[in-house]
Amino acid sequence: KMINELKNDINNGNINHAYFLECNDEKKALEEARSFASEILGKSIDNNPDCTIFLTEEKTIKVESIRDLQKDVAIKPLMCQKKVYIIPYAEKLNISAQNCLLKTLEEPPSYAVIILISSSIYSVINTIRSRVKRIRIKSEDGIHIDSDVKNIIDSIGSKSVIDVLKFSEYFEKNKDNIIEILHEMMKY
């Protein structure tokens, strides 16, 4: 369904300059993004100089990487009418990188399309969220909720405030993933 919505954008000539693919299964979202990029470019993205996928083993995507993206965005496409940039794990963008990316999203060249991927659109700053077209992709096995998060939610209604505050240890231990945890709690 998601790819059909994106194909409609292509067929209607209404390709946005930025998309945010939101999915619990980021590998599936990356496959969808690759497929969409091929549709936009009209050819395979494999060894295509007009498609860049930012894959990193680092914990964060730093501002230097986004500055490199900006330099590349300034160069017109070589083989196609468009250039596509796919940024999986957008939650890895640190604040400086997000603010740097924002400059490109505010004034993109007509040929550039940026696709961000994450399990939660709330992993990026509000000003980025306001400049992308959000596409939700359902994972085949539904929503994955950590069993600890499910237990916390289930017990909130039956516990006293003091008992609920004991869950703070869980949140402290998982503070690096707090946005995703809160997002999962909201979904549940």
Side-chain angles (χ1 to χ4, degrees):
K1 183 182 175 190
M2 184 284 290
I3 201 68
N4 290 335
E5 183 176 342
L6 298 175
K7 281 183 182 181
N8 286 338
D9 283 359
I10 293 169
N11 293 335
N12 296 328
N14 294 328
I15 300 172
N16 279 19
H17 67 282
Y19 291 87
F20 193 104
L21 306 185
E22 185 178 35
C23 184
N24 288 335
D25 183 350
E26 291 185 39
K27 288 181 180 168
K28 177 181 179 178
L30 179 57
E31 289 173 23
E32 294 284 356
R34 290 175 59 85
S35 176
F36 181 45
S38 292
E39 292 282 333
I40 291 171
L41 299 177
K43 40 179 85 184
S44 171
I45 65 167
D46 295 329
N47 299 315
N48 189 326
D50 294 327
C51 184
T52 303
I53 301 174
F54 287 86
L55 292 173
T56 181
E57 297 295 321
E58 301 294 321
K59 285 188 173 188
T60 62
I61 299 172
K62 297 181 180 155
V63 69
E64 293 79 19
S65 297
I66 301 304
R67 286 188 183 129
D68 290 343
L69 176 144
Q70 289 173 324
K71 288 175 190 171
D72 193 71
V73 165
I75 301 168
K76 292 189 177 191
L78 297 173
M79 294 174 48
C80 305
Q81 297 293 315
K82 299 270 187 193
K83 287 179 89 170
V84 178
Y85 301 88
I86 301 172
I87 305 174
Y89 309 102
E91 68 274 7
K92 289 184 174 186
L93 289 162
N94 68 25
I95 294 299
S96 297
Q98 289 185 50
N99 284 319
C100 187
L101 179 61
L102 186 58
K103 293 176 185 171
T104 304
L105 294 176
E106 288 172 338
E107 299 176 16
S110 60
Y111 53 81
V113 178
I114 298 171
I115 302 172
L116 300 166
I117 302 171
S118 182
S119 60
S120 172
I121 196 165
Y122 298 103
S123 63
V124 295
I125 57 177
N126 186 42
T127 47
I128 288 180
R129 291 194 305 261
S130 68
R131 287 168 175 79
V132 298
K133 181 174 182 178
R134 180 184 192 183
I135 305 288
R136 291 185 182 130
I137 304 170
K138 294 197 179 206
S139 59
E140 276 136 38
D141 30 345
I143 297 171
H144 299 292
I145 298 178
D146 181 283
S147 62
D148 290 332
V149 173
K150 185 178 180 315
N151 291 336
I152 290 169
I153 294 169
D154 288 341
S155 65
I156 285 176
S158 62
K159 302 235 179 210
S160 71
V161 174
I162 293 172
D163 289 335
V164 170
L165 290 175
K166 290 178 184 172
F167 294 123
S168 64
E169 291 174 21
Y170 172 80
F171 290 108
E172 179 63 30
K173 184 176 95 180
N174 294 288
K175 65 185 173 191
D176 291 340
N177 300 318
I178 195 69
I179 291 175
E180 290 83 8
I181 292 168
L182 293 173
H183 186 67
E184 291 301 312
M185 290 176 80
M186 288 174 27
K187 283 190 217 175
Y188 185 72

